[in-house]
Amino acid sequence: MDTEGWIGELGRPGSVRELGGVRVSAVRCPARSLAGGGGGPYHLALLLAGELVLDQVGRTARAGRGDLVLLDGGRPFRLAFTAPRNTVVTAHLHVVPGDPARCVARTFSGREGLGGLVAGLLTGLARDTTPYRPAEERRLGQAVLELAGALLDLRPLQGRPEQPRLPRIQAYILEHLGDGRLTPDDVAAAHHISTRYLHRLFQREGLTVAAWIKAQRLARCRRDLAEVRLAHVPVHVLAARWGFAQPADFSRAFRTAYGVAPSAFRVRSLPTNSARTANDTLLAAQQTQG
């Protein structure tokens, strides 16, 4: 299962907030189980009501009302909501400060201390309907990321100057994905480090800068192509929003990553009527270009 959409598999959705590189969503669901993994962000889940059991990386986390638990969308997992009625608010984090592996499938209290601050922020964001400006959304997303890092105790060692860490750099990249001219040199300059050091930071995680940027752009294009509200927007326009200036390059990269052309993925993903609208829009665009 695609863990980008695992919340949608649970039950009736509540609210969704897009905050730069962070998404906050709320959902209510009955007792049920699901499994997935292999792709997607981290999920820091707060139980407002009900109970859940998460099995991942050889550990089992049990969370009740007021607890938080971290799930890694990139690894296999089994998740069960065991109460008749469950309400969960989740922060979907594409990057988590430090080394989150030791915190996956562990329960944190959201009733006091840093956990209480995280729980309060997530609850407030889930209920808030204020139409924030993009700059304000990015700041709120950064606040979620910073508090999550503090909760997971992944701050720099005291007594050492803080180094430009990978999550902070990745968060910057996520904020600038729409800039098709973004290069590793630009990213390094923005963080006052050398391009060589930037590449080394990514290599420590088994990544390359260019591949990670492309993967993030493709993931967002894929999400937008499956969005009913964007069914009328031509494929090449959505691609351009996330930094793909050349439609042919985007189509080739998308097919390589997901095994299907962008237009075919959209028609397959959207409900029947919306898919027909998307297909008609695509044909009209092709005829105009021809």
Side-chain angles (χ1 to χ4, degrees):
M1 181 184 67
D2 176 14
T3 54
E4 276 283 354
W6 73 275
I7 284 291
E9 296 289 327
L10 292 177
R12 183 166 64 85
S15 62
V16 177
R17 275 280 188 183
E18 297 288 353
L19 305 172
V22 175
R23 175 188 291 183
V24 176
S25 64
V27 70
R28 297 181 181 89
C29 68
R32 66 168 303 176
S33 301
L34 66 157
Y42 292 93
H43 306 279
L44 183 61
L46 166 67
L47 265 293
L48 296 183
E51 299 174 337
L52 72 75
V53 179
L54 170 64
D55 291 305
Q56 190 171 43
V57 297
R59 291 195 290 264
T60 298
R62 301 179 185 274
R65 181 178 179 179
D67 289 333
L68 297 121
V69 64
L70 183 67
L71 181 153
D72 183 353
R75 302 185 184 189
F77 69 86
R78 295 184 63 85
L79 181 66
F81 287 85
T82 57
R85 295 182 179 85
N86 304 273
T87 303
V88 59
V89 177
T90 303
H92 309 259
L93 310 170
H94 286 276
V95 292
V96 176
D99 177 16
R102 63 189 179 90
C103 298
V104 169
R106 296 191 186 282
T107 303
F108 299 85
S109 173
R111 293 176 289 277
E112 59 187 2
L114 284 170
L117 292 176
V118 175
L121 178 58
L122 294 182
T123 302
L125 289 172
R127 295 173 177 171
D128 190 9
T129 59
T130 305
Y132 293 107
R133 294 175 295 180
E136 294 170 330
E137 291 178 342
R138 290 194 294 271
R139 289 181 179 178
L140 287 170
Q142 188 62 35
V144 172
L145 189 63
E146 291 292 341
L147 273 180
L151 171 66
L152 302 175
D153 196 24
L154 301 173
R155 292 162 293 180
L157 295 175
Q158 292 184 358
R160 296 184 182 181
E162 182 175 356
Q163 297 297 321
R165 295 181 300 164
L166 184 59
R168 188 182 301 276
I169 293 171
Q170 289 175 319
Y172 172 87
I173 293 173
L174 291 176
E175 292 176 7
H176 295 81
L177 279 180
D179 182 0
R181 298 169 297 179
L182 185 68
T183 67
D185 289 341
D186 298 327
V187 175
H191 291 83
H192 309 291
I193 59 176
S194 69
T195 304
R196 176 178 295 182
Y197 181 59
L198 173 68
H199 286 299
R200 189 158 61 246
L201 287 175
F202 274 79
Q203 288 169 357
R204 290 173 183 171
E205 303 295 325
L207 305 170
T208 68
V209 182
W212 192 84
I213 292 175
K214 178 183 285 189
Q216 300 306 313
R217 285 173 169 160
L218 287 171
R220 281 153 182 75
C221 290
R222 184 174 185 266
R223 183 190 67 194
D224 287 354
L225 287 170
E227 175 57 62
V228 173
R229 294 174 299 174
L230 300 175
H232 66 287
V233 181
V235 172
H236 72 275
V237 174
L238 293 179
R241 287 181 180 178
W242 295 111
F244 290 100
Q246 300 298 324
D249 292 341
F250 166 67
S251 181
R252 186 162 48 250
F254 192 94
R255 184 186 292 274
T256 298
Y258 301 114
V260 63
S263 55
F265 172 82
R266 165 180 265 180
V267 171
R268 185 181 67 186
S269 301
L270 295 176
T272 303
N273 291 338
S274 298
R276 185 179 298 114
T277 299
N279 196 39
D280 291 345
T281 301
L282 173 65
L283 291 175
Q286 291 174 338
Q287 292 171 357
T288 301
Q289 294 174 357

